[in-house]
Amino acid sequence: MTATLRSLLRHETILAILLVLVLFALATQSDRFFTTANLLNQGRLMAEVGLVALAMTFVIVTGGIDLSVGSILGLTAILLGVFWHNLGIPLPVAMVLAIFAAGIGGLVNGLIITRFKVPPLIATLATLALYRGLAEGISQARSVRGYPDWFFVLGQGEVLGVPTQLWILGLLVVIAAVILGLTTFGRATYATGANETGARFSGIGVDRTKLLIYTASGLVAGLAGVIFVSRVSTTRSDMGTGLELDVITAVVLGGTSIFGGRGTIIGTVLGLILMQALKNGLALSGVKGDGTIVVIGLVLILAIVASNLFSREGDG
Amino acid sequence: MLKRTVALALGLSLGVSSAAFAGNWTGGDDLPTNPLACDGTPGKAEAKPYDGGVPTNAPDRKAKPIKVVDVPKLIGIGYFNATSKGIAEAAKELGNVEAKTDGPTQANIDQQISFIDNYITSGVDGILFAANDPVAIAPVLKKALAAGINVVGYDANSEPDARQWFVNQAEFNGIAKSLVDNMAKEVGEDASFAIVTSTFTTPNQARWIAEMEAYQAKCHPNMKWLETVEAQEDNVLSFNQATTLINKHGDDLKGLFGMTSVATPATAEAVTQAGKCGKISVIGLATPNAMKPYVEKDCVKSVVLWNPVDLGYAALQVLRATADGDLKPGATSVKAGKLGDLQVINGSEILLGAPFTFTKENIKDFDF
């Protein structure tokens, strides 16, 4: 246990050092990078990916994957618009209902995976298409616009000088870190990913754990969807396309093993910040968009290779 | 088991009931259509007061060197390569503008917003954009205006008050007329047709389709519109969607419209591979280079477009004129270098010109 703990710490330490180096390098490249206004603004831009990445950490720690999060986000956005605009439900209720529907979307994923024993990759690949199709079918190409001003506080406003969604993200980071790191449920999550058969024989409710995690993944994707709608002030059925890739990149960069059983919320947060800092800092120092993607790919490989090298030395 | 059934039933009923409320195709926006006269009488430009935005505390940029960034819907496709070529030409001609093009590699609203946001932070003097969504892009453009940056759109508009001017490549009803008239000429007045578009909410395509519907109902009432399918701006998906349409409707299908520079060549390729050249007419918006093979083989007879190089050129000229203070709210025309005087329409839009139809006779003369 201490050995795994050490290797865990090691990846996060490497990542933290890398992050400091990157922040330092970017700050020397552009004097507009390390300003409070820019950093808070970047926090605003990464909130949606961040929220989904928290739940995705749990999903990947169990050895699973959830590719449908982007589609759930899109579906939530459309449902929010339809509930409020077409059905005339008051907006706060519509928000709750839309997020609830996203939770059902996640629950369906969980049911397909646990009851029908479909591999998560296949199951969520199917629902990725299904939920996006529903979003497009329901929306019938109509964007819903003209939300009331108070609604924009969520995505465009500030509370005590900090973007609203950053508070939400911060709160959920703490909750997720506590659940994964300190509770029985967290240990059940690790056990499920490390050795599912073993976990079953130890009397851990593997299916129940997975079901809850996929439902939570749907719920936060829904929450991110509502925030997204508030940030861009419109709904579109193609919202959140490709979100799953950003999310998975952040989680994997954060040291969560794609084979399950290993990973921390701190790592995910570091991975997330590193990715956003690179995107923003490189753009500010004049690197074009296609160059930025290349750099992010290289950093991902570098971080994982470095971490593997060090942990192998540690094992030997 | 019970839990599962309940969840599934809930999910299904949710989907179905909402779908029932969504109603019919309305063109993706709620704006009224304005079909042109069937015989080619030009539409009247209505005088409208300036409805664009104004940058806050913009510094005096008259004749000073300025830094401009161009953020198109996406980069790496022929169409936006052509606009950015025009922007570079104008920058070279003007001499006091440093212009570069940067944008997402997919037509994605979120990424485009992030790009613009980063350029606002990095401190540019001017932003050119082609919006992936008119409403979603508005908050970040307003932020640019609030930072004193000159903002001019081209190709795809935003909400008017989120930018100063918009360079309109061709009026929507003009494009719609040109497309539908060419189709009616090729397939006859009582033929059926289908449309391959990008997404239903893409502003230009949605508007064109709405105008096409109105114009067709007014001037070619016996033509039958089978269906409209989405294909993103994706080559393979466009090909597949067109092939599906050909197989699904069989001999009923006489004509296909491609609404994007990606969908049109892919649709022509699908018709070619299905061996339906001459049986199914393809008409669409596309760049000439992509369409040359099909036009030369007589598989496609008309390609409708404007010159995107001129569009980019005009966009930067308008931005320069705005930064210099030469183009002010209320102006009726603007000088755009080699293009001469361009007309101001709809309050805060600048019209590039009438749409152009490429045919077998003239397509050789264009290279973009």
Side-chain angles (χ1 to χ4, degrees), chain A residues 90-106:
Chain A
L91 190 51
V93 184
M95 287 159 70
V96 174
L97 278 180
I99 294 175
F100 181 70
I104 293 178

Side-chain angles (χ1 to χ4, degrees), chain A residues 77 143-145 147 152 228-230 232-236 239, chain B residues 109 133 135-136:
Chain A
S143 303
V144 175
R145 300 156 184 174
Y147 291 94
F152 296 131
F228 194 16
V229 170
S230 169
V232 302
S233 59
T234 181
T235 59
R236 278 170 60 109
M239 278 176 156
Chain B
I109 50 169
D133 183 286
V135 176

Side-chain angles (χ1 to χ4, degrees), chain B residues 195-210:
Chain B
I195 299 177
V196 182
T197 185
S198 47
T199 70
F200 295 142
T201 48
T202 318
N204 283 352
Q205 276 73 13
R207 215 76 273 291
W208 282 322
I209 295 174

Side-chain angles (χ1 to χ4, degrees), chain B residues 9-141:
Chain B
L10 251 176
L12 276 177
S13 62
L14 201 67
V16 171
S17 63
S18 312
F21 277 97
N24 293 326
W25 160 267
T26 53
D29 55 30
D30 299 315
L31 302 172
T33 53
N34 180 25
L36 289 173
C38 304
D39 56 5
T41 326
K44 263 191 290 200
E46 264 178 66
K48 221 173 113 185
Y50 179 77
D51 58 355
V54 179
T56 319
N57 299 326
D60 179 20
R61 298 191 169 108
K62 186 151 184 84
K64 286 184 187 140
I66 56 172
K67 235 165 85 182
V68 173
V69 63
D70 158 43
V71 186
K73 285 184 189 179
L74 75 166
I75 55 166
I77 65 166
Y79 181 78
F80 285 115
N81 286 346
T83 56
S84 100
K85 191 175 147 200
I87 289 168
E89 267 175 30
K92 204 173 148 197
E93 218 178 279
L94 288 164
N96 53 5
V97 180
E98 186 195 321
K100 77 167 175 180
T101 298
D102 192 9
T105 48
Q106 285 171 324
N108 179 314
I109 50 169
D110 192 25
Q111 286 184 33
Q112 187 177 33
I113 291 167
S114 304
F115 271 96
I116 296 177
D117 211 320
N118 280 336
Y119 277 107
I120 296 172
T121 311
S122 78
V124 290
D125 301 293
I127 292 175
L128 294 171
F129 71 90
N132 278 313
D133 183 286
V135 176
I137 203 171
V140 76
L141 293 181

Side-chain angles (χ1 to χ4, degrees), chain A residues 114 188 191-192 195-197 199-200 203-211:
Chain A
T114 54
T192 304
N195 184 347
E196 191 175 326
T197 320
R200 279 184 201 280
I204 291 170
V206 170
D207 286 351
R208 184 178 149 271
T209 307
K210 284 189 182 174
L211 217 51

